[in-house]
Amino acid sequence: MTPKVARYLADMQPVTPCLVLDVDRVEDNFRRLQAALPLARIYYAVKANPAAPILERLVGLGSFFDAASFQEVSMCLDAGSAPGAISYGNTIKKERDIAAAYAAGVRMFAFDSEAELEKLARAAPGASVYCRILVGNDGAEWPLSRKFGCEVEMARALMIRAGELGLDAFGLSFHVGSQQTQTAAYEAAIAKVAMLFTDLEEAGVKVRMVNLGGGYPVRYKAEVPEIDDFGAAIMGAMVKHFGNSLPEIVIEPGRFLVADAGVVQAEVVLVSRKGAEDPVRWVYLDIGRFGGLAETEGEAIKYAFRTPHDGASEGPVTIAGPTCDSTDTLYEKSNYRLPMALRDGDKVEMLATGAYVTTYASQKFNGFTPLAEHYI
Amino acid sequence: MTPKVARYLADMQPVTPCLVLDVDRVEDNFRRLQAALPLARIYYAVKANPAAPILERLVGLGSFFDAASFQEVSMCLDAGSAPGAISYGNTIKKERDIAAAYAAGVRMFAFDSEAELEKLARAAPGASVYCRILVGNDGAEWPLSRKFGCEVEMARALMIRAGELGLDAFGLSFHVGSQQTQTAAYEAAIAKVAMLFTDLEEAGVKVRMVNLGGGYPVRYKAEVPEIDDFGAAIMGAMVKHFGNSLPEIVIEPGRFLVADAGVVQAEVVLVSRKGAEDPVRWVYLDIGRFGGLAETEGEAIKYAFRTPHDGASEGPVTIAGPTCDSTDTLYEKSNYRLPMALRDGDKVEMLATGAYVTTYASQKFNGFTPLAEHYI
């Protein structure tokens, strides 16, 4: 928690649940990432947190943007971004949304299928397109399965087809999974993309860009490698496989830029036991999986907690949200421990919650309104 | 899909994704349930769908209401419900929300812990309270784990304690899990609650109400038993265990009243394959798990689909939502098949989606606005 966030919580006593996010920390993270990967162009993954104060700060820093929808394209434009700085990075787009983005000046689009390529040829003629390939997601705490990307052989055929359709087949992309804690995942993916690069060159398609996606991890409950380790591993792999004719490098960080800038403050609604002798207490908060903490599904992302009783004696807990849905349980198997003195009415903070929280919140499940947001 | 919904979709061509819900069908379902369980008092579980047209129709039918939050209490009052017809059924409540409901005239509250009982004694003095006990959820497609309820021994102690605190310890409740397809689950739970009933009577606490919760199933992709089967099993078990001094019976249906009244219409955004030889197509819709279809988590609730090509040749599909999140995949392991002719731009309908859809929708994940709602 940054000192500015701590001060804000103490001085303003905002209504819970809420997110308080220090935009200066976003700037620090942007600069740290630039220093770790100086040759990469940063496209902020807007979906991580599309709040205007974040987008505006990043526009001022010269950031590019990765938009998941036409609505996100609009948010970037509203924040002052040039349309040429926006990539429409979702491989699943309605044709009329492609047309709307193209009309707004966007010229960079992702795809991973023939049907999408045909939509792009019709609705974004001549645009620069890049194909997403499937790579391994081992080591990611929020892996991405096979939903996005295609097999290398198909990518090869589609990149050739893109040129035939009058598009600029300028790049290849992959994603190693979000909150990726293994630098080796990037190295393996770069090796895979480099082979396809060479193969396409021999087929007459001069690829000029590699998009490494996002996934750079953030410290939650457990330590993760430093961003400099990822920078070194990525550049080592790029040089190893591309020599000194490096393509343009694009990265799409979301979590890394905003997560540790934000803190969710919640109120303890109830502390109870299921039986008198039950060693585990249930701690119910006024925010849960449907209030924004969607990434706790399967206990994938393990947030760290602060309480007013930290340092006092602790015991095992199950942590759950406030709704009448038992899937709205945050942590039951991850061995969380919280102070024995914790009780209803206490405020607790969940650290590094600036990413993938606000927009996930259900609009009104069980009648609860989404968390308040404070950008400072 | 009711004829009225089909006609509305054909005539109005609403923007997708949307829910169209036939409020007359809600009334039909209410009457069917009344006929199946004539001795039970129906408390509609507002969380299933809190839309004003539904609440208003149910008020007109003499329904009672089960509210999960003070906001839901307010919605019922706004719809014309008497405060005495509202149960605040969430066992996890902020003390100030209990006080607000009490001030509004609500006098019926659930609890399952000592801390909650103490809040009730302070904020709702003299109110009628009922204790939720833990029972088995086998047979439920959306089971409820241990989040709500307490062990029988604790319930016994808490019911005695409630009287000492000046509360009216008038009932016991349980929940066999949502979309419960086994009538035996109710029979086993009734046996368990009846033993506690007797036990409490011997301890001097005269319990007068049994709340059987909800869970009554709806036909999705697979057949389920008729509501009359549940009615017969439940009344058989009640008579077997309580003889002819039956307590007041409360039921809390949500899904059963509204699910099959509604249809979600979506647009196919993309149909693709991951490799040229891949037998499985990916079908991406403009609604997914974060657009409201949260109950497809773990492929628990299996919705039935209608497409413009029904009857033509089919093949295996994975069905996913439109967001850049691969957990936004609806069905990958449930052997869904859809017509080979399906393509982007087609409209598809997901049947019996009137429950647990609208309020679950994320407020703006990936920039997508929540589904539109049409009550007809």
Side-chain angles (χ1 to χ4, degrees):
Chain A
M1 178 163 15
T2 72
K4 200 162 62 154
V5 170
R7 206 159 49 235
Y8 186 90
L9 288 170
D11 292 350
M12 307 301 287
Q13 301 276 329
V15 170
T16 64
C18 65
L19 170 71
V20 181
L21 188 142
D22 181 348
V23 183
D24 293 336
R25 173 61 73 96
V26 177
E27 178 167 343
D28 294 344
N29 290 338
F30 184 88
R31 294 189 192 284
R32 273 202 299 146
L33 188 56
Q34 260 184 334
L37 277 163
L39 294 184
R41 187 173 279 186
I42 298 175
Y43 281 72
Y44 172 56
V46 175
K47 59 184 171 289
N49 189 325
I54 293 173
L55 300 183
E56 288 161 6
R57 179 69 66 98
L58 289 171
V59 167
L61 292 167
S63 184
F64 293 71
F65 296 94
D66 165 42
S69 64
F70 177 67
Q71 290 87 334
E72 285 192 356
V73 168
S74 297
M75 291 176 206
C76 295
L77 296 172
D78 290 347
S81 174
I86 301 169
S87 164
Y88 195 160
N90 193 337
T91 53
I92 309 155
K93 300 175 287 296
K94 289 184 180 175
E95 188 165 329
R96 57 185 176 277
D97 287 336
I98 296 171
Y102 187 78
V106 174
R107 290 293 179 270
M108 183 170 161
F109 296 87
F111 72 96
D112 65 4
S113 67
E114 177 146 21
E116 193 73 12
L117 206 50
E118 286 168 1
K119 286 188 231 167
L120 288 167
R122 286 190 298 267
S128 295
V129 298
Y130 60 97
C131 186
R132 181 157 165 178
I133 63 170
L134 282 162
V135 299
N137 274 201
D138 287 356
E141 294 183 1
W142 192 258
L144 297 176
S145 81
R146 286 170 61 83
K147 181 175 175 186
F148 308 103
C150 62
E151 300 290 355
V152 165
E153 268 312 298
M154 181 176 265
R156 182 180 181 282
L158 291 175
M159 286 291 279
I160 294 168
R161 178 86 183 120
E164 294 167 1
L165 289 169
L167 294 162
D168 171 25
F170 94 123
L172 294 170
S173 78
F174 61 79
H175 203 296
V176 294
S178 195
Q179 184 69 2
Q180 174 57 260
T181 58
Q182 307 290 329
T183 57
Y186 290 93
E187 294 168 306
I190 288 167
K192 188 169 183 176
V193 88
M195 279 195 290
L196 178 55
F197 222 84
T198 308
D199 197 14
L200 279 166
E201 192 149 40
E202 285 165 9
V205 181
K206 181 72 193 113
V207 186
R208 311 185 309 277
M209 183 275 280
V210 172
N211 178 338
L212 310 173
Y216 316 99
V218 164
R219 202 228 143 117
Y220 291 113
K221 213 176 164 210
E223 292 285 355
V224 295
E226 293 293 327
I227 192 63
D228 291 341
D229 297 342
F230 286 92
I234 284 168
M235 287 316 298
M238 288 300 292
V239 169
K240 176 176 169 191
H241 294 289
F242 290 93
N244 53 14
S245 65
L246 285 177
E248 183 185 325
I249 301 172
V250 163
I251 56 175
E252 295 171 340
R255 188 186 305 281
F256 183 82
L257 293 185
V258 295
D260 76 353
V263 166
V264 165
Q265 190 176 63
E267 182 179 322
V268 176
V269 183
L270 178 67
V271 181
S272 67
R273 294 177 201 264
K274 297 293 156 186
E277 307 302 316
D278 203 333
V280 177
R281 291 162 299 150
W282 280 70
V283 174
Y284 300 91
L285 306 177
D286 64 0
I287 186 170
R289 278 190 51 205
F290 302 108
L293 306 175
E295 290 203 316
T296 59
E297 179 179 341
E299 311 196 12
I301 299 293
K302 295 177 178 61
Y303 296 117
F305 285 75
R306 288 278 176 281
T307 81
H309 312 286
D310 286 353
S313 109
E314 292 183 338
V317 290
T318 290
I319 306 173
T323 68
C324 283
D325 186 330
S326 67
T327 63
D328 183 14
T329 297
L330 305 177
Y331 302 114
E332 195 165 6
K333 298 162 194 153
S334 299
N335 299 315
Y336 271 82
R337 296 173 64 84
L338 286 174
M340 299 304 295
L342 198 70
R343 55 155 292 160
D344 58 83
D346 282 343
K347 300 281 176 70
V348 299
E349 287 82 44
M350 306 174 70
L351 306 185
T353 40
Y356 298 113
V357 169
T358 58
T359 59
Y360 266 121
S362 79
Q363 54 175 346
K364 54 186 176 187
F365 187 55
N366 277 208
F368 294 118
T369 45
L371 73 170
E373 303 176 39
H374 307 270
Y375 297 91
I376 61 175
Chain B
M1 177 164 15
T2 72
K4 200 162 62 154
V5 169
R7 207 161 47 236
Y8 187 89
L9 287 170
D11 293 349
M12 306 302 287
Q13 301 278 326
V15 171
T16 65
C18 65
L19 170 72
V20 182
L21 189 143
D22 181 347
V23 183
D24 292 337
R25 173 61 71 97
V26 177
E27 178 167 341
D28 293 345
N29 290 338
F30 184 87
R31 294 189 192 284
R32 274 202 300 148
L33 188 56
Q34 260 184 334
L37 277 164
L39 294 183
R41 187 173 279 185
I42 298 174
Y43 282 72
Y44 172 56
V46 176
K47 59 184 172 290
N49 190 325
I54 294 173
L55 300 182
E56 287 161 6
R57 179 69 65 97
L58 289 171
V59 167
L61 293 167
S63 184
F64 293 71
F65 296 94
D66 165 42
S69 64
F70 177 67
Q71 290 87 335
E72 285 193 356
V73 168
S74 297
M75 291 176 207
C76 295
L77 295 172
D78 291 347
S81 174
I86 301 169
S87 164
Y88 196 160
N90 192 338
T91 54
I92 308 155
K93 300 175 288 296
K94 289 183 180 176
E95 189 164 329
R96 58 186 174 276
D97 288 335
I98 296 170
Y102 188 79
V106 175
R107 290 293 177 272
M108 182 170 161
F109 297 86
F111 72 96
D112 66 4
S113 67
E114 177 147 21
E116 193 73 12
L117 205 50
E118 286 168 1
K119 286 187 230 168
L120 288 167
R122 286 190 298 266
S128 295
V129 298
Y130 60 97
C131 186
R132 180 158 165 177
I133 62 170
L134 282 163
V135 298
N137 274 201
D138 287 355
E141 294 183 1
W142 193 257
L144 297 176
S145 82
R146 287 169 61 84
K147 182 174 175 185
F148 308 101
C150 62
E151 300 289 355
V152 166
E153 268 312 298
M154 180 176 265
R156 182 180 182 282
L158 292 175
M159 287 291 279
I160 295 169
R161 177 85 183 121
E164 294 167 2
L165 289 168
L167 295 161
D168 170 24
F170 93 122
L172 294 170
S173 78
F174 61 80
H175 203 296
V176 293
S178 195
Q179 184 69 0
Q180 174 56 260
T181 58
Q182 307 291 329
T183 57
Y186 291 92
E187 295 168 306
I190 288 167
K192 188 168 181 177
V193 87
M195 280 194 290
L196 178 56
F197 222 84
T198 309
D199 196 15
L200 279 166
E201 192 148 40
E202 284 164 9
V205 180
K206 181 72 193 113
V207 185
R208 311 184 308 278
M209 184 275 280
V210 172
N211 179 338
L212 310 172
Y216 316 100
V218 164
R219 202 227 145 118
Y220 291 113
K221 213 178 162 207
E223 292 286 353
V224 295
E226 292 294 327
I227 192 63
D228 290 342
D229 298 343
F230 285 92
I234 285 168
M235 286 317 298
M238 288 299 292
V239 168
K240 176 177 170 191
H241 294 289
F242 290 93
N244 52 13
S245 65
L246 284 177
E248 183 184 324
I249 301 173
V250 162
I251 57 176
E252 295 170 339
R255 187 186 307 279
F256 183 83
L257 293 185
V258 295
D260 76 354
V263 166
V264 165
Q265 190 176 62
E267 182 179 323
V268 176
V269 183
L270 178 67
V271 181
S272 68
R273 293 176 201 264
K274 298 293 158 186
E277 306 302 316
D278 203 333
V280 178
R281 291 162 299 149
W282 280 70
V283 173
Y284 301 91
L285 306 176
D286 64 359
I287 186 170
R289 278 188 53 205
F290 302 109
L293 306 175
E295 290 202 317
T296 59
E297 180 180 341
E299 311 195 10
I301 299 294
K302 294 178 179 62
Y303 297 117
F305 284 76
R306 287 278 177 280
T307 80
H309 313 286
D310 285 354
S313 108
E314 293 183 337
V317 291
T318 290
I319 305 174
T323 68
C324 283
D325 186 330
S326 66
T327 62
D328 184 14
T329 297
L330 304 177
Y331 302 114
E332 195 166 7
K333 298 163 194 153
S334 299
N335 300 315
Y336 271 82
R337 297 173 65 84
L338 287 174
M340 300 305 294
L342 198 69
R343 55 155 292 159
D344 57 85
D346 282 343
K347 300 279 176 71
V348 299
E349 287 82 45
M350 307 175 70
L351 306 185
T353 39
Y356 298 112
V357 168
T358 58
T359 59
Y360 266 121
S362 79
Q363 55 174 345
K364 54 185 174 184
F365 187 54
N366 277 210
F368 295 118
T369 45
L371 74 171
E373 302 175 41
H374 308 269
Y375 297 91
I376 61 175

